[in-house]
Structure formats: C-alpha cells, structure tokens
Amino acid sequence: MSANTKPFTAEDAAKAKSWPFQEARNLIRRMERVKKDGPVIFETGYGPSGLPHIGTFQEVARTTMVRRAFELLTGRQTKLISFSDDMDGLRKVPDNVPNRQMLERYLQMPLTRVPDPFAGENGEGDYESFAHHNNARLMAFLDRFGFEYEFRSSTEEYMSGRFDAMLLRMLEKYDAVMEIILPTIGEERRKTYSPFLPISPTSGRVLYVPMLERDAKAGTVVFEDENGEKVKTAVTGGAVKLQWKADWAGRWFALGVDYEMAGEDLTESTKLSSRIVRALGGEPPEGFNYQLFLDEHGKKISKSKGNGITIDEWLTYASPESLSLYVFQAPKKAKKLYFDVIPKTADDYWTFVEKYKTQDGAAALDNPAWHIHQGKPSVATPPVSFAMLLNLVSASGSADPDVLRGFVKKYRPDAAPEELAATDAMIGFAERYFDDFIKPHKKFRPPTPAERAALEMLSARLKELGDGAAEDVYQTAVFDAGKAQQFENIRDWFKGLYQVVFGQSEGPRMGAFTRIFGATATARLIDEALARG
C-alpha cells in the first residue's frame, strides 16, 4: 500500500501533545544536561526465561515511538538496543514449555547453557540453548514488524570483555554500591549479598554467595565454590556477572544508555539502579514506568505462567498495526489484555488511519497512526469494519473469501484495489476469530411476543424495500419495527434482535449490515430465526 507521508515543521512538532512527544522533550532536557555527543541510545530489556509475549513487544514499540518523536524534534542520530539478560540463571521452570522435568536439572545455570526444551517439538529447529531459542523468537517478531534495532546478548557482552571496564569500576565502587543496596533487602539476605555473582568453575551455575576477599587493583574476588573450596577469580571476561539491580545499572553505564522505560513493578528498581549509576560516575537514563497488562481476570500477565495473549496469538486474529495501537494507548493505565479486545482495537486502528488523511500539523502528529507507522501510515482503508466482517460470517454461515469479498464489492462497488486488498487481509482474521471465539458461544433464544411481532414487521418491510436501498432507509425500517411494538427502551429491541437472529448479545448496525448482506437475505435470516422459535 502507498504511504500517506506529510511534511511537518519544527512548530508542528513543538505543539504535539501525545505522550511520545512529552517523553521526547524530557529526553531532550537530559541530553542538554549531560552534553553528550554521538548517537542517543535507547534501550529495551528482555528476560529470555520465558517465551516472548506482548509485554516484551510493547517495550520495543513504545520506545520506538519515543525515539521517532525525539528524532523529529531534534534531528539527532539515535540507536535502539534490544538487550537480552541471557546470562541470568534459570530461577524456575516456566509453566508453558515442554520437557519441564529436564529443565529442573539446570536450575541456576546461565540461560545460554540451558538446553532448548523445544528441540524437536512442533517442527521447532534445534537451538544452542533455551535463551538462543527465545532470543530468536523475539528477533523474528521484531524483524517481522520492521523495527530498527541492534540486538545485544548479556552473555556475549560479559564473555567478550566489553563489560570489563564497567565491572572493574563496579569493584572499585563496591562499598558505595553495597551502601545503596543493603538497606533495601532483608537482614538474612544482607549476610550473603554481593553485587557480583560468580559462575562456579565446577558446576557452571550462577552462585549467590558473599565475596570473601576483594582486590580492586588486581580486579579479583574470592568466594567459596559449591564444593567448599575457596576460589579466586577475575571479575572480567565472563567469570562473574552482576546481580539484578547492579546489573541493570552496569549495563546503562557500559552502553551509555540515554532512555529506557520499564513496568511499574520495577519502579523501585529503577530508582535504585539510577543511584548505582551515579555512584559509578554516570548519569541514569531518562524514562518512565508504565502500567502492566492484565489478563481477563485482572491479574498481571506473566511470561512464565503464560496467562496472557502471546504475540503469535494476537497476530492470528489481527494485524501487527492493531497490536501497536493497543500498546500506544494510555501506557500509564493498567489495561486488560485478552481476546475480547481484538475486534474493537482492529477497527479503532483503521478509524485513526482514515482520520489521519484529513489532519495536518500537530493534530496529525498526535494521531496514533503517525506513531504506529513512524510517520508513514497507509493511504488505503477497508470499506467495511472487522466487526461487520464477523457479522457477515455469522449471518451467511460462510467464511469463504470470495463470498465475503462479493458482499463488500456490492456495498462499495467503487472501492479501489488497495481498499479491497486491505479488506482481504481482514477476511482471514475474521474467519479465525469467528471460529474460535464467537461460533462456540452463539446461543439463540426464542423471541418474546413483542419481539416476534417486531421481527415479522421488519421482515415484511425489508422484502418490500428489496436490495439496493440506502443504508439509512434500512436503519429506519429497523427502528420503526421496534417503535411499533412500543419498547420502553429501544436498546432492548436491538438486543433482542441480536439474540434471536444472530445468537449474540451484540451485533451490527442493521442499516449497514442489511445494505451489505442484502435486504432479501436479511429478511430470510429473520424468518429462519422465527421458525426456530
């Protein structure tokens, strides 16, 4: 599809009020304060102890939105680092992976040394480790969506020596770091806490043990291994890694990160890591803490429990762009993320794309479509909504693309090829969503006497009008049938119509549906419902 690109002035950008521009202005103030040259570094983090999920994706999507707003405001060069904490030890076995018993043997092993539990499962290829598998899954989606990023592996950063200077600095500032962390942890843990976690030379596990000796000049520490022996090791070259809050701070310091957002559950960790960066002599990044996604029961989505929608599941039923819209909206508000939100989000996305065509200046920059498409939203929009396609599938009893395409062409015979192509993409999504979430729950009920009379009147009127009348004419016919039976609340009439005819509590705008599906076919649908009752 062709892109709807528009020119914007510095004044336009200055007037934009959407949250990515607000965040970009905060970052501008930071960059003026630190007076840093070269690319501005954005970062997102990923813990590959579980499969990538939408919570993972949303950090990259939202960060990219801030990045593009910053670029428009400043013209500066930027870089986005997608960082995987794949040297972390496996703390627990995720609930949503195969071969869980096998993984039990690798607890506390760095994730890049844990075998891939998916090897040979469902046609999955063999990966070097569990982390390599999950990293590949993450990058595959980011590539599919077209994000511009640089992938970094914690294991590679530690093992290659690129973190060595930072690790020596952390050892030099060990006491200052301990003074920051110890007051925030329990008394028992304080006895054994160290920001450095050595990798056991005998078992290969990540050890949570105290440092018995430290030599900042030599760059070494002494600890007790699992077999009881004292071991002296350098803190460089991948022999140790940093524990969580120090690790986050060390990464910011080593990579020169200027911006990173995080979930609200990491608010205190963000503050603590920021203090550690300052102790090292650096400046913490700009960013904000967003609210977490919730499942349909209002519980926090967990990648280890697998209680949320996966990336692949969303993309089974709707486009990546609709997913981006969902993560764009209200990042500081906790939102339920489950399958019921998909149809409305899919339609809202196209509404914003259509609206963008008539907008200019700051209004266009504040449109989610600008942020989703990094300034180049599509020109073409589908002639019908996702919700309407679902109702057409339900009413016709067919998800045949040719049948649905025929309905659309009858409704909009002047639709451009690009608009029909946008509809074609939605047809497949509608078919799958209907089969999995609507069809199993359809429940028809018999009409009440008032509903039966209204439906009989509506059927007769539609037959009289025939196909080809205006949408508003059909909509008026529906209202007239309800009013004739004197429903106290006209909504009760529509709800009854949907339950009796469609087997659902909600349904389409009847004027548009009848125009697309056909007055004769709609009357037949009503007659069949009356016959059932």
Side-chain angles (χ1 to χ4, degrees), residues 208-490:
Y208 288 77
V209 294
M211 298 298 99
L212 305 178
E213 298 176 28
R214 293 175 283 116
D215 188 335
K217 290 184 178 180
T220 61
V221 293
V222 176
F223 66 94
E224 184 177 296
D225 198 3
E226 290 178 305
N227 58 12
E229 294 184 3
K230 289 186 178 180
V231 176
K232 176 185 284 189
T233 184
V235 297
T236 55
V240 307
K241 74 173 299 294
L242 294 174
Q243 192 159 181
W244 160 227
K245 296 179 181 71
D247 190 50
W248 204 10
R251 184 200 314 167
W252 288 343
F253 184 79
L255 300 178
V257 176
D258 298 304
Y259 188 92
E260 180 166 2
M261 62 178 68
E264 56 86 21
D265 57 332
L266 297 180
T267 300
E268 292 306 313
S269 296
T270 303
K271 295 177 181 177
L272 204 66
S273 294
S274 296
R275 292 178 61 195
I276 295 173
V277 171
R278 292 190 179 98
L280 297 177
E283 180 74 14
E286 187 61 47
F288 75 96
N289 293 101
Y290 55 80
Q291 288 291 323
L292 303 176
F293 288 137
L294 308 174
D295 66 14
E296 60 184 310
H297 304 295
K299 295 183 178 179
K300 174 184 151 183
I301 287 177
S302 164
K303 63 175 177 283
S304 62
K305 294 180 181 179
N307 62 325
I309 300 177
T310 68
I311 293 169
D312 289 338
E313 284 173 331
W314 184 289
L315 297 182
T316 298
Y317 306 109
S319 68
E321 293 81 9
S322 65
L323 175 56
S324 285
L325 173 62
Y326 197 77
V327 304
F328 171 86
Q329 295 172 317
K332 295 185 180 181
K333 177 182 177 182
K335 297 185 295 185
K336 289 186 178 181
L337 178 61
Y338 56 107
F339 293 102
D340 286 5
V341 306
I342 291 178
K344 182 179 185 304
T345 307
D347 281 336
D348 285 347
Y349 162 71
W350 286 114
T351 298
F352 284 119
V353 172
E354 182 67 27
K355 191 174 183 180
Y356 186 82
K357 298 176 184 179
T358 63
Q359 293 175 320
D360 292 299
L365 291 175
D366 285 334
N367 186 318
W370 186 88
H371 297 278
I372 292 168
H373 291 279
Q374 301 179 33
K376 300 178 181 178
S378 167
V379 173
T381 53
V384 297
S385 67
F386 186 73
M388 183 60 74
L389 284 176
L390 290 174
N391 287 308
L392 289 172
V393 174
S394 176
S396 65
S398 172
D400 185 327
D402 289 334
V403 173
L404 296 176
R405 199 176 294 115
F407 285 130
V408 174
K409 286 182 178 179
K410 183 171 65 174
Y411 176 60
R412 278 281 307 278
D414 59 341
E418 293 84 2
E419 295 174 319
L420 294 176
T423 307
D424 286 344
M426 287 204 306
I427 286 174
F429 293 137
E431 175 187 3
R432 291 186 288 273
Y433 192 91
F434 176 79
D435 285 343
D436 293 345
F437 299 106
I438 296 179
K439 187 177 180 179
H441 303 290
K442 287 176 74 72
K443 187 176 181 181
F444 297 94
R445 68 167 175 82
T448 64
E451 289 168 346
R452 175 175 289 277
L455 287 169
E456 288 175 346
M457 177 180 174
L458 176 58
S459 174
R461 178 59 176 153
L462 293 180
K463 292 171 185 175
E464 178 184 335
L465 290 170
D467 298 343
E471 184 177 313
D472 289 346
V473 173
Y474 294 131
Q475 188 72 14
T476 299
V478 179
F479 271 100
D480 288 346
K483 290 177 181 177
Q485 297 304 315
Q486 299 181 344
F487 282 91
E488 290 186 10
N489 188 335
I490 201 67

Side-chain angles (χ1 to χ4, degrees), residues 106-183:
Y106 294 91
L107 291 174
Q108 295 308 129
M109 292 289 286
L111 291 163
T112 43
R113 299 186 187 180
V114 176
D116 178 15
F118 291 91
E121 291 274 336
N122 302 319
E124 293 278 359
D126 292 339
Y127 289 88
E128 184 178 336
S129 71
F130 187 27
H132 284 83
H133 175 105
N134 287 337
N135 288 342
R137 291 280 292 270
L138 172 70
M139 288 186 286
F141 179 77
L142 299 181
D143 291 341
R144 177 179 179 182
F145 193 82
F147 285 116
E148 178 190 328
Y149 67 97
E150 180 182 305
F151 180 79
R152 294 284 190 95
S153 157
S154 175
T155 300
E156 291 179 5
E157 298 299 302
Y158 276 103
M159 299 297 290
S160 68
R162 286 191 289 268
F163 274 1
D164 282 358
M166 174 271 292
L167 290 163
L168 292 171
R169 182 68 169 168
M170 189 75 70
L171 184 57
E172 180 186 343
K173 296 293 183 179
Y174 186 94
D175 291 333
V177 173
M178 291 288 279
E179 287 178 6
I180 293 170
I181 295 179
L182 290 183

Side-chain angles (χ1 to χ4, degrees), residues 45-67:
Y46 168 55
S49 59
L51 297 175
H53 60 98
I54 289 176
T56 309
F57 160 73
Q58 61 86 20
E59 279 198 25
V60 183
R62 286 174 174 164
T63 302
T64 297
M65 292 168 185
V66 177
R67 179 187 181 188

Side-chain angles (χ1 to χ4, degrees), residues 24-33 70 73-74:
R25 292 187 188 100
N26 292 337
L27 178 56
I28 289 172
R29 286 190 283 272
R30 178 194 184 276
M31 301 312 296
E32 291 172 346
R33 187 171 64 251
F70 177 83
L73 285 167
T74 66

